[in-house]
């Protein structure tokens, strides 16, 4: 699976960003998809998951602020991030696979990620 994440940048607290991730090398429409983030010195964590049936999963830290979506025609995953906080600062990654793997984040291959920096 090849993953190309983009859309990161630097914003002030309260701002918004929309991340995109193009997925290739797999049957995209049959896979669950997810967004993750890793801050310096921290482990990578799940921030949003979306199953093929449309079920979503968000941790409390981003619930109500982040929205994951997908466009199967474009093999693309999106993450709309609103009301950003300094603690959202991290490198954001995407991935796709069976929903169990998406929720646990157990993948051997990751793309380069995209940096999100939120200043106070």
């Amino acid at each position: 699976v090849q993953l190309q994440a983009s859309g990161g940048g630097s914003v002030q607290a309260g701002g918004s960003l929309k991340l995109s991730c193009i997925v290739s090398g797999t049957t995209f429409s049959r896979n669950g998809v997810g967004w993750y983030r890793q801050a310096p010195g921290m482990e990578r964590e799940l921030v949003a998951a979306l199953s093929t049936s449309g079920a979503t999963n968000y941790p409390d830290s981003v619930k109500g602020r982040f929205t994951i979506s997908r466009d199967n025609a474009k093999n693309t995953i999106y993450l709309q991030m609103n009301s950003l906080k300094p603690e959202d600062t991290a490198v954001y990654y995407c991935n796709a696979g069976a929903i169990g793997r998406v929720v646990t984040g157990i993948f051997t291959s990751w793309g380069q990620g995209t940096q999100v920096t939120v200043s106070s």
Side-chain angles (χ1 to χ4, degrees):
V1 177
Q2 291 77 49
L3 306 150
Q4 184 176 350
S6 62
S10 296
V11 297
Q12 291 191 326
S16 297
L17 283 173
K18 186 173 185 177
L19 308 183
S20 300
C21 173
I22 300 173
V23 181
S24 59
T26 186
T27 307
F28 181 77
S29 62
R30 296 182 182 178
N31 287 326
V33 294
W35 283 98
Y36 309 79
R37 68 186 179 189
Q38 187 168 21
M42 305 292 285
E43 292 188 356
R44 185 155 28 209
E45 63 173 349
L46 175 74
V47 295
L50 174 62
S51 73
T52 54
S53 65
T56 56
N57 184 346
Y58 302 96
D60 289 344
S61 59
V62 308
K63 197 172 293 183
R65 300 189 297 121
F66 289 12
T67 303
I68 186 172
S69 61
R70 65 191 297 166
D71 184 337
N72 288 341
K74 296 182 178 180
N75 282 15
T76 302
I77 317 166
Y78 302 100
L79 185 68
Q80 177 67 49
M81 305 185 295
N82 299 327
S83 302
L84 283 162
K85 304 176 180 180
E87 51 264 42
D88 294 320
T89 296
V91 178
Y92 283 70
Y93 300 87
C94 54
N95 225 314
I99 192 61
R101 293 182 69 195
V102 170
V103 171
T104 58
I106 300 176
F107 293 99
T108 57
S109 177
W110 295 87
Q112 83 286 357
T114 186
Q115 175 71 47
V116 171
T117 303
V118 185
S119 58
S120 58

